[in-house]
Amino acid sequence: MTDLPRFRAAAAPALSAPSRRSVLAGALGAAALAAGRPVRAAEPGLLRVGYQKYGTLVLLKGKGLLEQRLKPLGYRVAWAEFPSGPPLLEALNAGAIDLGSAGEAPPIFAQAASADLRYVANEPPAPLGEAILVPRDSKVQSVADLRGRTIALNKGSNVHFLLVRALAEAGVPYEAVNLAWLSPADAGAAFARGAVDAWVIWDPFLASAERSTGARTLVTGQGLAPNRQFYLSTRSATETHRDAIEAALTAIGEIDAWAKDNTDAVAAELAPSVGIPAPVLTVALRRLAYGVTPLDPATVADQQRVADTFHALGLLPKPLRVADAVWTPARNG
């Protein structure tokens, strides 16, 4: 797994407070443009998998287990790395990949941009794996104190929903905070130098910031956001690659079962590629939940609440029904 680039913080761009309209345009614009272009059809005999540099799919890639499981089916595998869930789902909607994973919010925006999105499986909730951080010496003591402050987060990511829920619970209007849309690398740099007042982030960047900056946690996802990881595909890919996707989910389950009982080994394996020390990764890995399964009614209901929340805020152009995008082996696409 040494072929993956190391994590480096980049300089943060100028910060601003986008309006609801600009949030919607940013979250849906690229995906909608991709959906408006001719979509590449799934290619027989090739499963294209999108992954982020931390998580089960990275381990699957590093161990070559997916290739082993798919070779008897006459498949080869092509891998593509993405910095976060939103661009991965943009690529999925555009037909550039067939399978990938992301947190709660990106699939909502992706489904709003394309009815072809399919949820194929999910991991159990891991609410402690995301949080709102503030600097150690910050005067901010609660979420209510974030009113009028500048908060960094990745646009349309899983932590977007966490922030919305946390603000609502604290009685702070969504419009009462300034949102700085930054990638984890840029947000980490801005947070470290004090250019933002708070940072909403997920593991392993969360564990890294806690260790390197002494950041304080205002809230985690506990009681606010489940922080599930979803495995996602498209109608075309589930039709063309049904057997391959089922085999991939089986392989993911095997990796999960190993990783659950070998967090130190997983951390040592991921550290060179992620660029975060193994002891820090171990903290993050112990906050994960393992065990890939089809979406059950409770999971669909939780995800529907995410969709309804974003629609109520005006961040989705129309209501959507999550259940329409749930795929199972018994369904034809």
Side-chain angles (χ1 to χ4, degrees):
M1 294 170 34
T2 55
D3 55 323
L4 302 184
R6 296 178 65 85
F7 170 86
R8 288 186 175 84
L15 306 180
S16 62
S19 66
R20 288 184 181 183
R21 180 172 297 179
S22 68
V23 172
L24 172 62
L28 292 179
L33 288 172
R37 296 195 299 265
V39 174
R40 294 169 55 186
E43 182 180 331
L46 176 67
L47 188 69
R48 301 164 299 175
V49 182
Y51 67 98
Q52 300 175 51
K53 66 171 61 181
Y54 171 76
T56 303
L57 290 182
V58 172
L59 294 172
L60 194 66
K61 177 181 183 291
K63 290 188 174 299
L65 182 59
L66 184 56
E67 287 80 358
Q68 294 174 30
R69 295 293 178 265
L70 293 186
K71 187 175 181 180
L73 300 176
Y75 273 85
R76 55 194 177 88
V77 183
W79 297 90
E81 183 186 333
F82 295 87
S84 61
L88 187 153
L89 283 235
E90 178 189 341
L92 189 70
N93 271 353
I97 58 174
D98 306 306
L99 180 67
S101 66
E104 292 150 342
I108 298 299
F109 292 110
Q111 185 181 355
S114 172
D116 285 340
L117 182 82
R118 293 292 181 267
Y119 292 85
V120 298
N122 75 113
E123 305 271 3
L128 299 181
E130 61 179 5
I132 302 177
L133 298 179
V134 294
R136 178 172 46 196
D137 57 355
S138 172
K139 294 180 180 179
V140 174
Q141 298 297 318
S142 69
V143 175
D145 294 337
L146 291 174
R147 185 186 295 263
R149 306 276 185 165
T150 298
I151 306 169
L153 69 155
N154 199 73
K155 180 169 51 187
S157 67
N158 59 327
V159 295
H160 194 163
F161 179 64
L162 169 59
L163 177 63
V164 170
R165 288 283 292 115
L167 292 174
E169 284 289 313
V172 179
Y174 185 67
E175 301 85 352
V177 297
N178 301 318
L179 302 177
W181 303 124
L182 298 171
S183 70
D186 292 344
F191 185 79
R193 70 171 186 268
V196 296
D197 299 300
W199 183 17
V200 198
I201 190 58
W202 61 88
D203 275 327
F205 307 108
L206 169 59
S208 180
E210 289 171 331
R211 175 69 65 90
S212 64
T213 70
R216 287 190 289 109
T217 296
L218 285 185
V219 292
T220 68
Q222 191 73 49
L224 294 172
N227 189 33
R228 285 186 176 90
Q229 192 74 4
F230 291 98
Y231 295 96
L232 302 135
S233 186
T234 63
R235 179 180 58 81
S236 173
T238 55
E239 290 174 348
T240 304
H241 300 315
R242 177 177 295 274
D243 290 347
I245 289 173
E246 291 178 2
L249 295 177
T250 298
I252 291 168
E254 293 175 27
I255 287 289
D256 263 1
W258 172 77
K260 180 180 179 180
D261 297 324
N262 295 276
T263 52
D264 289 341
V266 172
E269 188 165 340
L270 289 177
S273 61
V274 180
I276 293 175
V280 177
L281 288 180
T282 298
V283 172
L285 290 164
R286 288 176 179 164
R287 293 194 286 228
L288 280 180
Y290 300 90
V292 62
T293 61
L295 275 69
D296 62 18
T299 301
V300 174
D302 280 347
Q303 194 67 351
Q304 186 64 52
R305 279 190 282 273
V306 179
D308 294 344
T309 297
F310 284 135
H311 179 254
L313 286 171
L315 304 184
L316 294 178
K318 60 182 180 181
L320 60 83
R321 186 171 180 269
V322 170
D324 291 342
V326 176
W327 175 84
T328 67
R331 290 179 58 180
N332 294 320

